[in-house]
Amino acid sequence: MTSNLWKLIEPSLLLHGDDLAWICRQQEGRREVQFRQIHQAALVTAQKLRKSGISAGATVGITAPNGPEWTVAALAAWRIGCMIAPIHIGNSDHDIAAQIDAVKPDIMLVHGSGIVHEPRMEITLDAEEELAAAENAIAAADDPDAVAARLYTSGSTGNPKVVRLSHGNLAANVLAAVKIQRFGPGDRFISLLPFSHAMGITANVNLPYYVGASLVTPKVLAASEIVAALEEEKVTVVIAVPRLFRNVMLGLEKKFREGGKGLALYRRVLRASPSRLRQILNAPLRKRLGGRINVWVSGGSHLDGRITRFYQELGLPLRQGYGLTETAPLACIQENFDSAPESVGKPVEHVQVRVNEPDESGQGEIWIKGPNVMLGYEDPEQTAQALEDGWFKTGDIGRIDDQGRVTLTGRLKRLIVTEAGKNVYPEELETLLERDPAIKEAGVLEVDMRPACVLAMDGDDTAGEARRVIREFNALVSAHNRISRIAVVEELPRTPLGKIALQELPAIFEAHEIGAGGN
């Protein structure tokens, strides 16, 4: 059963009023905020919005860092029956202007942002009792089919859309998540995902608020601070993009290599131990990573199965989820210590997944149907192309095994067809390339009907190392998958959610090509 988001979350805000909703690690000092303060501030903000002429159906823009102020703004808007339109403050001025022009907010709620928009209102956590009481006397909106969020997404390919998600879409994701894993007031989530995206809204706002868990914001999004926050704040839930888990893996691998025979033996014992015994033997590792690990989930883009296996061998519960903005976003998730680490697991409760028109190998476009599927895009033509009889056409290529687990193999729009008619899946090549420790990240693109790549690398002789990597890679793969040309950069361009900004790769490749790859 789905619900209006305010109706879904308010009981938890009241029940856990004295508990910590937020632990904000700031350069100027630690800040703690209780659920009671969130509830009161949301009522006050809702009343202020009404006094500003905002009513049900209006679009409320939100521009604020991840934190209590952002969530107060969203809850206030939902109580009235407004649609939120999050603006990602980390974008360029040009991109921010494009977002604002696309969603056209009726008012902008701001905190810690220099964005100029009128009308606007500062978000505060002030407890103004009279305003809160006046708002509390008004019945809250209660339509699960109403639009809750209008999310601007250019995706990784640079094709802008505005996705309309209902209260029911977002609530369905929360209710499915609590059936997958037990969460509660004792949990602490670390807030790493931008709240301007569906993944951040569901995983780092609605879910922890619904279960009464605390949220922790690191001082900065740097690996050393994130690891310190995990340990010092006893974080139990980490929901993040693959890049974080890969970086943590590389750091652990380095410590194992440098730790001598003792650590090497410890790792071999962990690998050889039964799963339950690993949970005891890995206590030193778990302490370094928070000590009370409940669940880690990777989402947003493909996670190499090798990374999943690495954590499984250490007894750490990393699982991969799958979904898109259009599915609010969760559609599938692996089981704990899943025996198919390359898959994205099975569909969550009440969600159906099918392969449309599979080929002889069982692969085809993944279609999704369920209460999490968006109402549609703002553009009716885009909606007509993406939805058919309630099924959302994801654009992802994949297959489903006999146990119902979904494995993704690529994107339709990224598929490279060579002159010989062979299909090349860039995502698969990127995964293989990134297994070389010299490569931070890889972006594969089509150049003259053949795969080429942009490699992100550090070091003195990056050109020489890049040629070495490609020479070894090309010796292992089939002829049609061999990389023909290479470019090298320090960092790949990224979207706010951490995906490679694919639309920028051709220009970067042209500017940084170092020559042909080894064949």
Side-chain angles (χ1 to χ4, degrees):
M1 180 179 177
T2 57
S3 173
N4 167 278
L5 291 167
W6 173 263
K7 295 278 190 177
L8 183 77
I9 291 170
E10 186 192 27
S12 179
L13 303 181
L14 295 171
L15 178 63
H16 304 290
D18 293 330
D19 296 337
L20 288 182
W22 284 91
I23 300 167
C24 302
R25 294 164 60 92
Q26 301 171 331
Q27 301 291 358
E28 61 272 18
R30 180 189 180 91
R31 181 167 69 124
E32 297 181 348
V33 178
Q34 296 173 307
F35 281 105
R36 183 187 314 283
Q37 294 171 269
I38 298 295
H39 183 252
Q40 284 287 99
L43 291 174
V44 169
T45 304
Q47 184 63 197
K48 287 180 177 179
L49 284 171
R50 292 187 197 273
K51 288 180 176 294
S52 298
I54 300 300
S55 57
T59 295
V60 174
I62 304 176
T63 173
N66 283 14
E69 287 80 9
W70 195 103
T71 61
V72 162
L75 289 169
W78 289 335
R79 190 180 198 283
I80 295 172
C82 296
M83 304 173 279
I84 65 167
I87 307 299
H88 186 72
I89 60 175
N91 281 349
S92 67
D93 290 344
H94 176 271
D95 287 343
I96 288 172
Q99 291 180 64
I100 293 174
D101 183 62
V103 297
K104 296 177 174 57
D106 295 293
I107 190 171
M108 187 76 76
L109 297 186
V110 302
H111 177 73
S113 168
I115 291 178
V116 177
H117 182 279
E118 293 299 336
R120 59 183 271 150
M121 190 171 80
E122 291 288 331
I123 311 165
T124 73
L125 301 186
D126 295 343
E128 301 179 43
E129 296 294 340
E130 288 187 10
L131 290 178
E135 180 61 34
N136 212 23
I138 302 172
D142 191 17
D143 181 2
D145 297 322
V147 178
R150 298 171 62 223
L151 302 181
Y152 175 90
T153 172
S154 61
S156 55
T157 57
N159 182 23
K161 299 181 178 74
V162 176
V163 179
R164 296 181 301 124
L165 294 176
S166 71
H167 288 265
N169 293 152
L170 292 163
N173 249 209
V174 172
L175 298 176
V178 296
K179 294 289 183 68
I180 297 162
Q181 183 77 30
R182 180 174 293 178
F183 299 102
D187 278 309
R188 286 190 172 180
F189 288 61
I190 189 165
S191 176
L192 303 174
L193 303 165
F195 290 177
S196 51
H197 289 257
M199 191 173 167
I201 294 172
T202 289
N204 280 173
V205 179
N206 295 338
L207 175 58
Y209 272 16
Y210 176 68
V211 300
S214 303
L215 275 153
V216 175
T217 55
K219 297 174 187 176
V220 291
L221 293 180
S224 58
E225 164 59 11
I226 291 171
V227 172
L230 295 180
E231 182 176 14
E232 294 168 13
E233 308 300 343
K234 303 295 186 287
V235 170
T236 64
V237 181
V238 180
I239 303 175
V241 295
R243 192 180 191 186
L244 172 72
F245 298 108
R246 180 174 186 262
N247 288 344
V248 172
M249 180 190 76
L250 294 176
L252 290 174
E253 284 184 327
K254 182 179 179 182
K255 289 186 182 299
F256 283 129
R257 285 195 305 270
E258 297 173 349
K261 294 181 180 180
L263 270 184
L265 175 62
Y266 174 64
R267 187 175 181 184
R268 286 199 298 271
V269 169
L270 279 178
R271 282 175 166 172
S273 300
S275 178
R276 289 188 178 180
L277 182 57
R278 285 180 201 165
Q279 309 299 308
I280 300 172
L281 296 178
N282 69 8
L285 271 177
R286 295 171 73 92
K287 182 179 180 181
R288 183 77 175 92
L289 298 168
R292 300 190 302 126
I293 297 173
N294 182 1
V295 62
W296 286 4
V297 177
S298 175
S301 57
H302 174 67
L303 177 71
D304 184 357
R306 171 177 168 265
I307 298 174
T308 307
R309 283 192 294 272
F310 172 84
Y311 286 102
Q312 286 183 350
E313 289 172 356
L314 297 179
L316 299 175
L318 175 62
R319 53 169 76 176
Q320 181 172 193
Y322 164 65
L324 306 94
T325 302
E326 292 87 345
T327 60
L330 184 61
C332 300
I333 193 166
Q334 291 175 333
E335 296 177 351
N336 260 344
F337 302 102
D338 203 300
S339 60
E342 298 289 349
S343 80
V344 294
K346 300 176 183 178
V348 300
E349 187 178 53
H350 303 310
V351 172
Q352 303 174 60
V353 176
R354 83 181 207 210
V355 176
N356 187 60
E357 298 180 354
D359 61 17
E360 63 279 0
S361 67
Q363 294 188 95
E365 184 180 12
I366 299 294
W367 286 20
I368 298 173
K369 188 175 189 178
N372 60 330
V373 171
M374 66 172 179
L375 298 174
Y377 300 114
E378 298 266 300
D379 185 331
E381 289 186 12
Q382 291 178 335
T383 301
Q385 293 172 5
L387 293 176
E388 185 173 316
D389 295 328
W391 289 93
F392 171 60
K393 306 172 186 178
T394 67
D396 289 318
I397 304 169
R399 60 180 181 273
I400 301 176
D401 67 17
D402 57 5
Q403 295 186 45
R405 294 176 297 203
V406 178
T407 298
L408 303 177
T409 54
R411 287 282 296 169
L412 283 174
K413 291 182 179 178
R414 293 195 68 193
L415 181 68
I416 298 172
V417 181
T418 69
E419 287 181 318
K422 295 285 188 177
N423 288 347
V424 177
Y425 300 97
E427 294 87 352
E428 292 183 347
L429 305 193
E430 289 163 357
T431 295
L432 294 174
L433 287 165
E434 289 173 0
R435 288 181 179 176
D436 191 297
I439 305 301
K440 291 195 297 183
E441 292 177 294
V444 173
L445 69 161
E446 179 182 346
V447 177
D448 298 330
M449 299 184 72
R450 297 187 64 187
C453 70
V454 181
L455 301 177
M457 305 178 67
D458 290 328
D460 297 326
D461 183 22
T462 54
E465 270 291 270
R467 291 190 176 96
R468 189 268 307 165
V469 169
I470 298 302
R471 186 168 57 250
E472 294 177 2
F473 172 84
N474 284 346
L476 294 174
V477 300
S478 302
H480 64 280
N481 283 325
R482 290 173 185 160
I483 300 296
S484 59
R485 294 159 67 178
I486 324 163
V488 178
V489 295
E490 291 184 4
E491 297 287 343
L492 292 181
R494 313 202 72 80
T495 69
L497 193 56
K499 298 181 183 181
I500 298 173
L502 300 172
Q503 74 275 15
E504 297 181 31
L505 284 185
I508 290 173
F509 177 84
E510 185 176 347
H512 297 278
E513 186 179 3
I514 64 170
N519 291 306

